[in-house]
Amino acid sequence: MNEIDAGIFDQAKFFGETTSTKIHLLRKLYLLFFIQFACAAENLHISYLYDDDYVPWIFQHEEVFVVTAVGQIVLLFCVIFFRDSLRTSPINWIIYVIWTTLLGYNMGYLGVWYDDRGAILMICATVCLISLALLVYALTTKYDLTLTGGTLFILASTMLSYEIFIISTDLPFGEMVSIAVAGIIFGYYYIYTTQNIVIRQTFNIELEDPVIASILVHREIILFPVRLFQFVRKALRE
């Protein structure tokens, strides 16, 4: 582990926290996050199979998207502010199923609305493959996940997604390259946010619940521009 990785990941913040318990949590989190976007990708795939029925229904019932979008926002806020109350089973699993269903529908709607389902499908597939690759990384390492250690897994999964879509679709080259580059950036931030922000950020001495943590990752994705701005400003000041 290099000095940069050590500076990010060294300090334990939970009572009784160990490397093995953190990796065990990360394995579950990556699997749960993979399932979320796998469901979204499958919804987009179904929209291709039943294009004649799916697309007209989407445009005829736009109010459904309003309800699902608002529902997803409200659910995210509930998870952020009431995470301690929602971490118990079966409440956490009910929330997870609802969140995954809403995410799948909303991604499908965005693909139809922007008339670019191929790009949205590639985004979902890239996130799935990165999550799967990091799951393999977490299953094969005995130490903390690091940015340098995850490089091979991130690059391999992103390139695999790129190769699949460049062979099987007619998406514009520039669009695919942009998604692939964004996927690599996301992969590094994904390791950082799950390892340092989601898994360790708590006001209790209990370990984080991976089910709720897999939803909290979306908050960190939304806040990525803010985190990037803070990092650049700090770097410039130093």
Side-chain angles (χ1 to χ4, degrees):
M1 182 185 296
N2 62 31
E3 293 180 0
I4 295 176
D5 291 328
I8 295 176
F9 302 130
D10 259 357
Q11 296 180 350
K13 296 185 180 180
F14 290 116
F15 176 77
E17 183 185 49
T18 64
T19 298
S20 61
T21 56
K22 287 185 291 184
I23 291 178
H24 186 64
L25 284 167
L26 286 169
R27 290 170 183 171
K28 293 180 180 179
L29 191 154
Y30 291 140
L31 177 60
L32 291 167
F33 203 74
F34 164 79
I35 293 172
Q36 290 180 26
F37 280 88
C39 291
E42 180 58 27
N43 186 49
L44 286 161
H45 180 242
I46 291 173
S47 74
Y48 276 112
L49 295 178
Y50 301 97
D51 187 75
D52 294 337
D53 298 323
Y54 187 90
V55 175
W57 191 92
I58 286 288
F59 286 114
Q60 291 171 9
H61 300 83
E62 293 188 350
E63 65 279 0
V64 176
F65 172 72
V66 176
V67 173
T68 56
V70 171
Q72 199 168 5
I73 294 171
V74 171
L75 197 59
L76 182 58
F77 273 96
C78 289
V79 168
I80 292 172
F81 292 107
F82 304 104
R83 61 193 295 182
D84 294 331
S85 303
L86 302 176
R87 296 189 331 178
T88 57
S89 183
I91 297 176
N92 56 348
W93 286 107
I94 293 173
I95 291 174
Y96 177 81
V97 171
I98 295 173
W99 174 268
T100 303
T101 303
L102 295 177
L103 177 67
Y105 181 85
N106 291 338
M107 295 297 283
Y109 178 88
L110 291 175
V112 172
W113 179 258
Y114 289 108
D115 194 24
D116 201 357
R117 278 176 287 176
I120 302 296
L121 180 59
M122 183 176 178
I123 292 172
C124 292
T126 301
V127 174
C128 283
L129 289 173
I130 291 173
S131 297
L132 196 59
L134 293 181
L135 173 61
V136 173
Y137 178 28
L139 288 170
T140 55
T141 184
K142 296 181 180 179
Y143 307 99
D144 273 344
L145 276 68
T146 65
L147 303 181
T148 51
T151 296
L152 177 61
F153 295 90
I154 293 170
L155 292 179
S157 56
T158 305
M159 290 307 299
L160 177 60
S161 175
Y162 173 79
E163 291 295 336
I164 290 173
F165 278 82
I166 200 171
I167 294 172
S168 60
T169 68
D170 56 354
L171 284 175
F173 175 76
E175 194 169 35
M176 287 189 290
V177 171
S178 299
I179 294 173
V181 172
I184 294 172
I185 296 172
F186 166 76
Y188 285 111
Y189 184 67
Y190 191 21
I191 292 178
Y192 170 76
T193 191
T194 52
Q195 178 82 315
N196 192 61
I197 298 175
V198 175
I199 291 297
R200 298 183 179 188
Q201 181 178 325
T202 182
F203 295 105
N204 292 331
I205 62 172
E206 299 176 359
L207 289 171
E208 183 61 85
D209 172 39
V211 180
I212 295 299
S214 68
I215 298 176
L216 286 172
V217 173
H218 292 271
R219 177 197 60 182
E220 298 304 325
I221 293 173
I222 295 171
L223 292 176
F224 174 69
V226 177
R227 307 288 189 199
L228 182 62
F229 174 76
Q230 292 174 340
F231 175 79
V232 172
R233 186 175 64 176
K234 182 178 178 181
L236 292 175
R237 285 181 177 179
E238 294 177 352

